[in-house]
Amino acid sequence: MHDHDNPKNSGISRRQMLIAGGAMAAGAALSHFGGLVKHSLAKDGSTEKWPWPYEKLDPAATAAIAYEEWYRVYCGAAVINSVFSQLREKVGEPYLSFPVDSFVFLEGGMTGWGMTCGSNAGAAIVANCIIGPRTAGAHEGHLITTELFEWYSDAMLPIYKPETPKVTVDIVQTNSASPLCHLSVGRWMEKSGYPITSAERKDRCARVAASVAYHLVELLNQWHDGTYQSAGTHSPVKEFGITAQMNCMDCHGGDVPEPPL
Amino acid sequence: MHDHDNPKNSGISRRQMLIAGGAMAAGAALSHFGGLVKHSLAKDGSTEKWPWPYEKLDPAATAAIAYEEWYRVYCGAAVINSVFSQLREKVGEPYLSFPVDSFVFLEGGMTGWGMTCGSNAGAAIVANCIIGPRTAGAHEGHLITTELFEWYSDAMLPIYKPETPKVTVDIVQTNSASPLCHLSVGRWMEKSGYPITSAERKDRCARVAASVAYHLVELLNQWHDGTYQSAGTHSPVKEFGITAQMNCMDCHGGDVPEPPL
C-alpha cells in the first residue's frame, strides 16, 4: 500500500484536469498520493482502455433492475448488472464481455463472511471498470468508491421502495455506520427483529442494493457531465495511520491501539 | 441473502457431481443452500460460460508475478494478474477481455477502508471468474473463496520469500485471525513496529499477495485435476445466525449480541 489518502481535496475533476493540462497532469497529481506508481499506462487487455463508453442512465430505472436482480444473483452482481445490463443494450462492448454473474460471491459480504456489503463492492466494480484505475491516470473511480462507502455508512437504508414489493410489510430503515455487511445487516436485524433467513431481511437487502445502484448512477451521471465533485471526507491512512473505517471505538471500545508512526 | 452455509459437507467436488448425475445434480444440490435461486443459467454475456478454460500454473511462478505486480497495481489487481496474465498467454480469451487493472481499487481493503484484504478479494475474483458462480451450477468457486479466507485468517503471513526482495530486512510473520486488511496490516504493524507508510510494510503486503496467489493456484490446480476437496469449516449463517467471521469476541468483547432467530 501507499498513501490511501483521499485526493478529493484537490477539488477538481478529471475532466477539469484534462482541460487544465492534459492527461499527464492528472498522472502527476495522482503520483502525489500513490508514490509507488511506476507506470501510468494500463496493461494491454482489450477492455483496459478507459473510460469505457458511458451513456447517462435513469437512477430509478436502475434501482428497479437492481431490486429484481437481487433475487437472481444477490447484492453485488445485482448492482453490477443494474448498470451493465443497460449499457450492454445501449453501448454493447466492453459491457458484453464482463462476467457479471461471476460476482455472485460478493453475497453476504463475500460468501457470507460479513465483510464489505456486496452492494458497495458491486458499485465499486462498476465505477472502476467504467472510469478506470487511478494508476491509469483517472481518479474519479477511486473517489466515487470511497464517497459511496461513506454515503452508505451515513444513510438510513434502505431508501428505495419498490413499486411492486415482494414483501408488503414496512421495512424499517437503519444506519449501519459502516460499509460492512455484518454491521449493516446486524443493525437492521436488531431494530427490525427479523432473522437473517426471513423474507423481510432478504427484501431489505434487495432494497439496499437498489438504493446503492440509484446513488451510484447519480454519481456516474455527474461524472459523465463533468460536474462530479467528491463529497468524501474519509482519509484513513492520513488520519489514523492505518487502513480503517472512521469509528475506531465501535470495535476497539476505549482501547484504540496507537499505530507505529 | 439466503443461507450462506458452506456446502462443503456434501464432500464431493463439482466434477464428481457431474460424473454422478450431470449438471442438474449440482444445481439441485446448490438449491438446498441458496433457496432463492430462480435460474440456473447465467446471463448471456460472451464470457459468462463457465468454467473458463484453465491450464495448470506453477504456484511459485505465480507468486513471483504477484510480488512484482503489487508494486504496479497493489494487492487485489496483483493477485488477479498473477493468474490472468499467464492465462492470457496460455489460453487467450476470455482472459484478454477481463479489465484487471480496474481492480486497483481493492487496495487497502478497498480504497483504504481496511475491509477485505485485496489479496483475498482478488483471489475470490479469480476463482469465481474461472469456475463460475454457484447460481450457474458450479460451487467450487464459492468453496475455494471461503476456504481461502479461512486459510488466510489462520496462516502466519507472509509465507512467500522473494528471490530478489525489494526490502532486505527480515519481514516478521503474523496471524491476522481475519480476512480483513485492517486486522492483517494492524497486527503486523503492532508486532513489527513498522508504520503503514514504510517500505517494510509495503513489501510485507506484496509478499502476502504472493502467498495468497501461491495457495490460490494450488487450489485451482486441484480443481482442474478433479481432486479438489474443500477444507473450509466456516458456516456463519448456520452457526451464528448472521453473516460474520468466526471470532465474535474480537470486536464485540464479552457482549456478543444475540441475533433474532
Side-chain angles (χ1 to χ4, degrees), chain A residues 70 185 188 195-196 198-205, chain B residues 1-2:
Chain A
W70 189 95
V185 167
W188 185 86
I196 189 120
S198 64
E200 290 80 5
R201 200 280 308 159
K202 291 167 183 169
D203 210 56
R204 177 265 177 193
C205 284
Chain B
M1 252 157 284
H2 44 80

Side-chain angles (χ1 to χ4, degrees), chain A residues 1-2 70 107 182 243, chain B residues 1-2 70 107 182 201 243:
Chain A
M1 253 159 285
H2 45 82
W70 189 95
E107 61 187 339
H182 178 79
T243 58
Chain B
M1 252 157 284
H2 44 80
W70 189 96
E107 59 187 342
H182 178 79
R201 199 280 309 160
T243 58

